[in-house]
Amino acid sequence: MKVERQDLTAQIEGIKKGGYDYLVKITAVDYEKYLEVVYILRNTEGSQDTTIEVELDPGDAWVPSIMGFYKGADWYERELYEMFGIEIKGRHVERLLLEKWNGKIAPLRKNFVWNTPYETSD
Amino acid sequence: MSIGDLLSIITFVSDSLGLSGTLANIVNTVVYAVLIAILIVVFDYLFGWLERKTIAKIQARHGPTYVGTYGILQNLADFVKLLAKEHVVPKNADKYLFLGTIPMMLSISIFLILLLPFAPTLIESNIGLGMLVVFVLLSFMPLVIFVNGFASGNKFAGISAQRSVIMLASYEIPLLLVLAAVGALAGSYNIASIISAQNNYWFAVMMPIGFVIFFIAMLAEVERPPFDMREADNELIAGWLTDVSAPYYTLALFLDYSRMFLGSLLIVILFLGGWNGPLLPPIVWLLLKCFIVAFFIIVIRATTVRMRIDKLLRFGWIWLMPLALLNLIITYLIFIR
Amino acid sequence: MTTINIGPIHPSTHGVLRLVAEIDGDTVVRVEPHIGFLHRGVEKLVETRMYMQSPPYMEKLDYVAPMAYDEVYVAAVEKALGVDVKERAMYVRVVLLELQRIASHLLWLGTMANDLGQLFTVFMWAFRDRDMVLRLLEEAAGARMFYVNMRLGGLIRDLPEGFQEKADEVLDYLDKRVKEYEDYLEKNPIFMQRMRGVGILSREDALNLGVTGPVLRGSGVKYDVRKNSPYYVYDKLYFEPQVRNEGDCFARYKVRMLELRSSIRLARMAMEKMPAGDAVGMQIRLILPEAKNRIVTVNRELPRGECFMYLVADPQKPYRLSIRDPSFINLAAFGELAKGARTADLFAILGSLDMVMGGVDR
């Protein structure tokens, strides 16, 4: 299911009310022309999964946080920020998840070439 | 070897020098202390070996086999290795307190063993309140650990130091209550009279509750599992020994085993009839019983899970304390009144 | 209030995990796991490799149960390339995966007891028993630790002759041993004291935090991928997901112990029902470089919980492989779980989560 970024929070709220009580994964794919953030949610009773995709412009990559609905989104969202440079709005992050990560590069984007040297923080 | 032979060894030096009076006494004391020190070193070493082998057997391993017969020299090899390591004093540590406390504890425990008799005639200092002296000094140990833990400037050692004091609060009172019962039963705090009072029946038979309480409290006193929260290697890395580097760590290991020796000696003397036993000479009986008690302490170490510090405090005050009081009352009602 | 740093080198952090804990007296106020010491960028690495060059990387993600991870990846590739798994191969895979689960849970049992201050006794026993299972797996796969024996549509080779008899013997022995472990641990009042009521995770919190596997089932959520969305032949084998409602460390422990038993039964059952035929998969050089499906999702029940793979396929190699590691999300819940616990319980809770840092950092 494709969703616009501004509708994301409302959609997820609706889906959660519909019995999808479990967040499986938040991930992203870099299709070069656009970034796609994928939310996979699950109804544990009926064991059905649903997928929500949000397309983002690589230059203006941010999504609203869904921490309010699923606390488990915490580390996934931080991972998105560190690996894809997708900013998460509406939540406070004290530090980067990965130790010694400088947080300036987005290694899982396609424009980052494998084995490029990078500098660690401190 | 009979007791006479042992005594002649002690007096050998003063006799051959032709000394008499106070001077001879001083020389005899020194010789005795050296002999006991050798005994302690040998026993610590044997306990170390026994512990490694027993735990290995329990864990379906072989334990040390390579160095010496049945790996008897393995601990010596480890000892030499540890002595060869670099000695580091952490920057945050209070150097003199940090380095001073471990030798201090070792000397306390050796001094305590020195106070204990090994045979009817092998009593160095037959103090009237000998047992009380032993326990007063024994209560110093956790406080010295507390000082060491804070002096090392390590946070894990600091937590360990706090735990040390909490532990002291949890088992010390039951321990002394049981000791009071023993004193009442023997009619004296003199160590030799406590043992000779057990000529017919061991105190372990006369007050089983007291024996169990004393055994548990002694496990805590000598820092053996399940009460090794001070050292707690899974939680606090090595507790108060975290920042202690190799040469001092060997001392700490010695301390560990001499405390185990001390603990088992106290259990044997107070409850298991001391040197009483048929056929064999008294000193052999004493050390044999000591070895058996140590074996049980080791088996407990290999099988149990570590207790939590707050649960120990609760256990000490809710179970050990009332039971120790009950033991005292029962002992009074049955045997003394 | 003291802040203490635990790890990354510490006896009880199971690898390179760093915990920063704020402690008030003996009570933990806040604890935050710092991860990333083992980060290798596997997700990026996979994008640069052909499809079947990646299984060895996948195995290193969970070095305690490598075959299970291997299988998830191969299943995702199978789905992307549209390869069907042979009937016998399905049964063989189920047998091997259940054996792998037994091996993994045995290792967990040992380390868990160790975290509680047990002096390596259960650890050694569990390792001895685990070694028997590993020997079986070695016979089937050819390697003891990292197997890489999954191929598209089957396995690198069929089970060797006489495997079933040997496996039956080992499973019978393990059945007795599991009972022994349970007796040994649960009759120890100190063990029960350390496990009961420690690190409680309620059902709502478990769902909200998204924990998986035995942690989720220990909190009373009846969700097991093998039952809820069966793969291979799990729908033909009889078993029930093990659920406990307490949500404490003991519940998680008990779920795993029960799973050990159900895995033994499942492996036996799968071996009995196994049809004759061919279980050998495609040779790697025969794989046609064309992906039929663009986006593929696969979920599997690993010993540690549910692994979810999101694979965007290119003809030659994965365009993007996103892995949802069970240890990662279980560790994310650790901060919530440990709040208000005692310092010593920190490690009991950590042990009951059973995480492997290889998967957490990826």
Side-chain angles (χ1 to χ4, degrees):
Chain A
M1 180 166 49
K2 292 233 177 207
V3 176
E4 288 298 315
R5 179 164 62 191
Q6 60 267 28
D7 304 338
L8 180 72
T9 344
Q11 277 286 351
I12 288 200
E13 195 175 3
I15 284 172
K16 194 183 177 187
K17 280 199 184 119
Y20 285 83
D21 46 1
Y22 187 83
L23 173 76
V24 180
K25 170 92 181 163
I26 305 174
T27 183
V29 186
D30 182 8
Y31 287 110
E32 288 178 281
K33 284 197 203 91
Y34 59 93
L35 280 169
E36 191 178 77
V37 180
V38 185
Y39 295 83
I40 298 148
L41 307 167
R42 173 175 298 155
N43 181 347
T44 42
E45 304 271 307
S47 46
Q48 291 161 312
D49 287 7
T50 183
T51 316
I52 297 173
E53 288 139 6
V54 186
E55 276 183 25
L56 301 175
D57 175 25
D60 174 38
W62 64 268
V63 283
S65 169
I66 60 159
M67 275 276 281
F69 310 111
Y70 301 100
K71 261 197 245 165
D74 184 8
W75 280 24
Y76 291 139
E77 286 179 351
R78 285 158 77 173
E79 204 186 12
L80 273 195
Y81 172 68
E82 281 158 49
M83 292 292 141
F84 282 93
I86 297 172
E87 214 174 307
I88 312 293
K89 294 209 170 164
R91 62 167 294 189
H92 170 67
V93 178
E94 262 179 43
R95 57 170 186 90
L96 293 173
L97 186 61
L98 295 182
E99 196 93 352
K100 304 271 177 192
W101 195 253
N102 64 13
K104 285 176 197 131
I105 47 168
L108 282 185
R109 285 205 193 181
K110 288 286 172 185
N111 57 13
F112 179 84
V113 183
W114 170 250
N115 258 348
T116 314
Y118 71 97
E119 281 177 15
T120 55
S121 68
D122 56 56
Chain B
M1 191 163 60
S2 70
I3 298 301
D5 294 339
L6 272 174
L7 283 179
S8 65
I9 293 172
I10 292 169
T11 51
F12 174 75
V13 181
S14 55
D15 284 351
S16 56
L17 287 176
L19 299 171
S20 63
T22 327
L23 206 58
N25 263 344
I26 292 170
V27 171
N28 287 352
T29 311
V30 170
V31 171
Y32 181 74
V34 169
L35 281 180
I36 293 297
I38 291 169
L39 185 79
I40 291 169
V41 168
V42 169
F43 257 72
D44 285 358
Y45 191 82
L46 283 178
F47 279 155
W49 176 77
L50 181 74
E51 177 156 40
R52 288 181 89 153
K53 271 305 207 196
T54 317
I55 288 177
K57 288 287 175 237
I58 292 171
Q59 294 177 349
R61 295 186 284 123
H62 289 293
T65 50
Y66 194 74
V67 194
T69 320
Y70 297 112
I72 190 95
L73 295 178
Q74 181 66 49
N75 277 356
L76 189 67
D78 289 350
F79 178 69
V80 172
K81 182 204 76 179
L82 278 175
L83 284 184
K85 298 267 176 189
E86 191 188 352
H87 175 49
V88 182
V89 179
K91 214 165 150 192
N92 287 342
D94 182 322
K95 193 176 171 191
Y96 299 104
L97 271 185
F98 178 59
L99 294 184
T101 34
I102 291 174
M104 194 165 137
M105 287 174 69
L106 190 58
S107 46
I108 291 177
S109 58
I110 290 175
F111 178 66
L112 286 179
I113 295 172
L114 213 57
L115 281 181
L116 299 175
F118 283 87
T121 46
L122 256 180
I123 300 170
E124 179 48 35
S125 51
N126 202 356
I127 316 170
L129 294 173
M131 222 56 205
L132 285 187
V133 175
V134 168
F135 277 86
V136 165
L137 282 174
L138 204 57
S139 316
F140 261 105
M141 296 273 224
L143 297 177
V144 183
I145 292 178
F146 179 79
V147 171
N148 182 290
F150 270 108
S152 84
N154 184 307
K155 280 180 183 170
F156 288 110
I159 293 175
S160 172
Q162 294 167 6
R163 288 185 179 190
S164 180
V165 177
I166 297 173
M167 279 175 76
L168 183 69
S170 59
Y171 63 73
E172 200 65 26
I173 298 167
L175 195 72
L176 292 177
L177 281 175
V178 174
L179 184 70
V182 169
L185 214 52
S188 163
Y189 280 120
N190 183 307
I191 300 166
S193 0
I194 288 176
I195 294 173
S196 56
Q198 300 181 57
N199 271 339
N200 299 325
Y201 296 107
W202 293 357
F203 285 172
V205 183
M206 287 166 83
M207 42 180 195
I209 307 173
F211 175 61
V212 172
I213 294 168
F214 190 83
F215 193 86
I216 291 170
M218 218 55 212
L219 279 181
E221 181 77 61
V222 301
E223 234 179 278
R224 286 271 134 186
F227 307 113
D228 59 337
M229 300 91 166
R230 274 178 273 198
E231 251 173 79
D233 50 348
N234 312 91
E235 296 151 25
L236 305 179
I237 304 177
W240 56 282
L241 293 171
T242 305
D243 272 350
V244 176
S245 57
Y248 277 77
Y249 192 72
T250 43
L251 277 189
L253 281 179
F254 253 115
L255 173 70
D256 198 19
Y257 290 118
S258 15
R259 283 201 294 171
M260 190 161 127
F261 186 35
L262 176 64
S264 44
L265 259 179
L266 282 176
I267 290 170
V268 169
I269 288 174
L270 290 181
F271 285 95
L272 299 179
W275 52 67
N276 289 325
L279 294 175
L280 297 169
I283 186 160
V284 177
W285 266 115
L286 189 78
L287 294 178
L288 193 68
K289 284 176 186 170
C290 220
F291 234 93
I292 293 167
V293 171
F295 177 77
F296 276 105
I297 294 178
I298 290 167
V299 170
I300 289 173
R301 180 180 183 200
T303 45
T304 187
V305 172
R306 184 180 307 117
M307 227 174 174
R308 221 167 69 188
I309 187 76
D310 57 317
K311 299 279 181 189
L312 173 67
L313 195 62
R314 182 177 287 256
F315 178 66
W317 284 87
I318 289 185
W319 289 101
L320 291 188
M321 245 282 267
L323 278 176
L325 273 175
L326 185 74
N327 174 58
L328 190 62
I329 293 165
I330 290 175
T331 313
Y332 176 74
L333 289 180
I334 296 180
F335 298 110
I336 299 167
R337 194 165 56 103
Chain C
M1 187 99 86
T2 337
T3 310
I4 57 170
N5 172 57
I6 302 160
I9 311 289
H10 184 276
S12 287
T13 51
H14 302 266
V16 281
L17 169 64
R18 179 175 167 225
L19 300 172
V20 177
E22 277 168 28
I23 289 173
D24 183 14
D26 199 30
T27 312
V28 178
V29 179
R30 205 171 82 105
V31 54
E32 197 166 354
H34 289 222
I35 62 170
F37 294 95
L38 212 56
H39 182 78
R40 293 143 294 172
V42 172
E43 290 180 8
K44 186 80 177 176
L45 182 60
V46 167
E47 290 172 12
T48 65
R49 298 287 191 275
M50 305 281 285
Y51 277 117
M52 288 312 278
Q53 282 181 316
S54 296
Y57 295 122
M58 290 298 129
E59 299 215 324
K60 270 80 179 179
L61 285 177
D62 184 346
Y63 37 78
V64 179
M67 199 192 277
Y69 236 114
D70 186 9
E71 192 272 333
V72 191
Y73 176 75
V74 171
V77 175
E78 272 163 1
K79 218 167 164 187
L81 300 188
V83 181
D84 288 328
V85 186
K86 290 170 180 167
E87 168 117 45
R88 184 178 163 83
M90 286 192 196
Y91 280 93
V92 176
R93 279 190 188 182
V94 167
V95 172
L96 294 180
L97 291 181
E98 291 307 321
L99 286 176
Q100 183 70 82
R101 190 185 312 275
I102 294 169
S104 168
H105 278 2
L106 280 173
L107 190 139
W108 159 80
L109 178 69
T111 48
M112 167 92 227
N114 207 15
D115 285 347
L116 290 175
Q118 226 283 340
L119 190 93
F120 286 98
T121 307
V122 175
F123 185 81
M124 284 290 170
W125 291 353
F127 259 64
R128 182 180 57 183
D129 296 348
R130 175 176 176 261
D131 219 64
M132 293 189 171
V133 182
L134 289 191
R135 234 169 278 158
L136 277 181
L137 289 176
E138 184 182 5
E139 222 163 285
R144 196 176 156 278
M145 185 85 189
F146 293 113
Y147 311 96
V148 204
N149 68 330
M150 298 290 171
R151 292 290 180 271
L152 295 189
L155 295 109
I156 190 166
R157 55 177 165 169
D158 205 340
L159 289 181
E161 237 163 78
F163 181 85
Q164 190 170 348
E165 289 77 45
K166 274 182 201 158
D168 273 339
E169 213 171 282
V170 171
L171 293 175
D172 285 344
Y173 168 78
L174 284 177
D175 228 0
K176 275 181 231 141
R177 293 293 299 181
V178 172
K179 171 109 182 43
E180 250 175 68
Y181 290 131
E182 279 186 338
D183 286 353
Y184 177 84
L185 291 171
E186 286 164 30
K187 285 182 184 166
N188 184 341
I190 305 178
F191 178 81
M192 299 301 276
Q193 211 177 52
R194 291 291 306 269
M195 300 288 273
R196 277 253 165 92
V198 170
I200 295 175
L201 185 67
S202 68
R203 192 191 141 92
E204 289 70 41
D205 277 350
L207 285 170
N208 203 1
L209 287 166
V211 294
T212 61
V215 185
L216 185 66
R217 288 194 287 280
S219 293
V221 182
K222 197 172 182 178
Y223 191 91
D224 189 321
V225 184
R226 290 175 291 174
K227 195 78 188 173
N228 290 45
S229 42
Y231 48 97
Y232 298 143
V233 291
Y234 279 113
D235 46 349
K236 291 176 197 160
L237 306 173
Y238 173 76
F239 87 107
E240 273 300 310
Q242 309 297 342
V243 181
R244 299 278 291 195
N245 292 322
E246 299 95 328
D248 54 2
C249 283
F250 183 73
R252 296 192 272 278
Y253 153 85
K254 199 71 196 168
V255 164
R256 289 205 180 87
M257 290 313 267
L258 292 170
E259 267 186 23
L260 264 175
R261 294 197 166 152
S262 84
S263 283
I264 291 171
R265 274 200 304 278
L266 272 172
R268 269 201 206 120
M269 230 184 299
M271 275 192 293
E272 267 164 32
K273 290 192 176 173
M274 194 184 293
D278 184 20
V280 181
M282 258 189 222
Q283 283 187 35
I284 291 173
R285 62 195 153 94
L286 294 184
I287 297 169
L288 291 176
E290 52 179 40
K292 292 203 171 62
N293 301 315
R294 177 74 167 148
I295 295 174
V296 168
T297 59
V298 173
N299 55 345
R300 291 282 189 264
E301 188 73 27
L302 300 197
R304 254 149 278 283
E306 183 195 348
C307 177
F308 185 93
M309 279 198 191
Y310 185 89
L311 175 71
V312 182
D314 255 3
Q316 301 267 342
K317 41 192 169 183
Y319 183 78
R320 163 101 172 100
L321 176 73
S322 171
I323 303 162
R324 186 245 200 188
D325 184 85
S327 317
F328 179 80
I329 193 62
N330 283 350
L331 186 61
F334 178 64
E336 290 284 319
L337 265 171
K339 231 175 242 171
R342 302 285 177 161
T343 320
D345 287 340
L346 215 56
F347 303 98
I349 296 168
L350 199 63
S352 77
L353 289 181
D354 184 23
M355 81 285 164
V356 166
M357 288 315 285
V360 175
D361 292 342
R362 270 164 294 156

